[in-house]
Amino acid sequence: MQFVHRIRTIWSWLPSFRAVGETEHLPSAATQLGIVPSSLSRTVKQLEDELGIPLFDRTTKTLILNESGKALLDAVREAMRIVDDAVAVALGDDVRGNVAAMASSDVIQALLIPASALLAATAPGLTLTIVSNVDDDGSEALLRGEVDAAIVSQPGPLPADLRSTELATWTRSVYGRIGRPAADIDRCVLVGTPTSHVDDGWPTERNRIVAVWAPDECAALELCARTDLVTVAFDAVARSCRQSERLAPQALPTIPSRAIHLIHRKAVGRHRRTEALVEAIQAALLEVVADRATSP
């Protein structure tokens, strides 16, 4: 039972360590916990002294988790998730409380909005938070427990604690205003910025002129509905945008389909709140497919 004594000794210091480990910044972690940085620093030092090893590499200006710190942070995250799940089951509210999903604004419009409606009907005890994500795949937010699932179209390399599941393969097309000149296809609206790397499936051998940079596909589609410009978009997003009745896919060029993925934390026990969220997303996907099948 020696390990019980050791865990009991360090148990109360672990939330503070997690906050510092995730931010690698004492003032930010202290703000999260509502304490002063000096108190937080002492707590982390107590934990290191008790374990007999440093958990951070320190300089005068930086605080960076070392390999031992990373291993402990992973374990603390998992332990807290297990305890949180067990408390929810014990209280009989494992499908109550908060659940969060992250996606780009386009996928939110096309998929998470209908999924939210289904979740509200099937799990009224859950409160869903939708988080708009632009620049990354949500890995850090998932590891910190800020979101429970992230939907992305191009996941990069994932940490060992995260899993990627392919949800569906969505078709994409070049869209333009109904009645626009068919031959004028190369003046485009691109999603992103002039400094970003754009891979929207446009054929590399076909030149195009960028007329406008837009923040997302919905904005690009709305602009195309008002001009003779074109843009590449998911068909599901085009059907969900406000100007869908004024848009039509162009015959050429052909744009390859792209898979969308669900990123989530590795399962440890049952996570009914996350399961309910995933079930709603999958059901919404079926509705998107059915809507496509009945569209003219």
Side-chain angles (χ1 to χ4, degrees):
M1 298 295 287
Q2 183 177 0
F3 81 95
V4 175
H5 173 75
R6 181 172 62 184
I7 296 300
R8 184 179 62 188
T9 301
I10 68 173
W11 188 260
S12 63
W13 299 329
L14 296 180
S16 295
F17 162 72
R18 176 175 178 173
V20 178
E22 289 181 337
T23 61
E24 296 184 328
H25 188 244
L26 278 170
S28 298
T31 299
Q32 288 182 7
L33 298 175
I35 59 178
V36 297
S38 58
S39 174
L40 189 55
S41 179
R42 285 193 299 272
T43 299
V44 172
K45 188 64 170 62
Q46 285 178 297
L47 176 60
E48 291 179 315
D49 289 344
E50 177 65 28
L51 297 177
I53 56 171
L55 299 171
F56 296 88
D57 294 329
R58 294 172 170 84
T59 69
T60 56
K61 294 184 178 180
T62 62
L63 190 69
I64 301 174
L65 272 175
N66 59 27
E67 291 305 313
S68 296
K70 291 176 182 177
L72 183 59
L73 178 59
D74 289 344
V76 169
R77 283 168 166 162
E78 290 298 315
M80 287 184 172
R81 288 176 57 209
I82 292 170
V83 171
D84 183 57
D85 285 345
V87 169
V89 171
L91 294 174
D93 60 358
D94 50 332
V95 286
R96 300 183 67 84
N98 299 311
V99 66
M102 174 182 283
S104 69
S105 56
D106 303 312
V107 176
I108 288 173
Q109 181 69 29
L111 182 56
L112 279 187
I113 295 301
S116 301
L118 291 171
L119 191 65
T122 58
L126 284 178
T127 300
L128 174 65
T129 299
I130 298 176
V131 181
S132 180
N133 184 42
V134 177
D135 297 326
D136 57 55
D137 59 11
S139 296
E140 288 303 314
L142 282 161
L143 291 173
R144 290 192 298 268
E146 295 171 1
V147 298
D148 300 282
I151 303 172
V152 299
S153 61
Q154 291 180 299
L158 295 176
D161 286 346
L162 299 182
R163 294 289 181 268
S164 174
T165 302
E166 184 175 319
L167 285 174
T169 298
W170 276 6
T171 55
R172 298 182 294 169
S173 304
V174 176
Y175 279 88
R177 176 180 59 84
I178 293 176
R180 64 176 301 281
D184 184 13
I185 196 72
D186 296 331
R187 295 189 72 239
C188 301
V189 183
L190 262 64
V191 175
T193 66
T195 58
S196 61
H197 172 70
V198 176
D199 178 18
D200 60 1
W202 186 273
T204 56
E205 70 276 6
R206 183 161 185 164
N207 294 327
R208 57 180 167 176
I209 299 170
V210 181
V212 180
W213 291 94
D216 55 44
E217 287 185 6
C218 289
L221 287 161
E222 182 155 351
L223 180 58
C224 290
R226 300 169 184 270
T227 66
D228 286 338
L229 302 174
V230 298
T231 193
V232 175
F234 283 115
D235 294 324
V237 173
R239 289 194 300 273
S240 70
C241 79
R242 291 181 297 177
Q243 300 289 341
S244 59
E245 73 283 354
R246 300 176 61 184
L247 294 163
Q250 307 299 295
L252 292 171
T254 301
I255 306 299
S257 301
R258 178 171 288 173
I260 59 170
H261 299 257
L262 176 72
I263 311 297
H264 54 91
R265 291 185 297 269
K266 182 176 63 177
V268 179
R270 287 193 58 126
H271 302 279
R272 281 296 302 130
R273 284 172 291 186
T274 301
E275 287 177 5
L277 171 62
V278 171
E279 288 166 3
I281 291 171
Q282 291 171 333
L285 270 170
L286 294 177
E287 290 190 357
V288 169
V289 173
D291 177 61
R292 179 187 175 194
T294 57
S295 297

